[in-house]
Amino acid sequence: MLMLLMSSPAFALTRDDGDDPGPGLSVINTLGLYVAAPIVLFLVIAGITMVAARGSDNPATHGHNTHHPRTR
């Protein structure tokens, strides 16, 4: 019974040693961190990949002549 009382949610209101939460995020900060930042990161990686593929000597990475002729 004592263990049940010690694990009750009422004790969640008291801070543990070393528990020091920072300030909360605003809506703008949250959207920037979890929506805008991944989109920008994706676009940067895609742009670097396209530039690297364009400068490559491998003809398979270019937009023309990528289809192989059909053989019978």
Side-chain angles (χ1 to χ4, degrees):
M1 182 73 173
L2 182 61
M3 291 302 289
L4 181 64
L5 288 175
M6 289 180 63
S7 64
S8 69
F11 286 104
L13 298 176
T14 60
R15 297 275 180 219
D16 290 334
D17 291 337
D19 185 18
D20 187 21
L25 293 175
S26 69
V27 173
I28 299 298
N29 289 341
T30 303
L31 289 176
L33 184 63
Y34 293 109
V35 176
I39 291 172
V40 169
L41 187 62
F42 172 79
L43 292 175
V44 167
I45 292 171
I48 291 171
T49 304
M50 288 172 55
V51 168
R54 184 172 299 229
S56 148
D57 291 332
N58 186 357
T61 60
H62 296 286
H64 56 84
N65 295 331
T66 57
H67 296 285
H68 299 288
R70 291 186 182 182
T71 56
R72 291 180 189 231

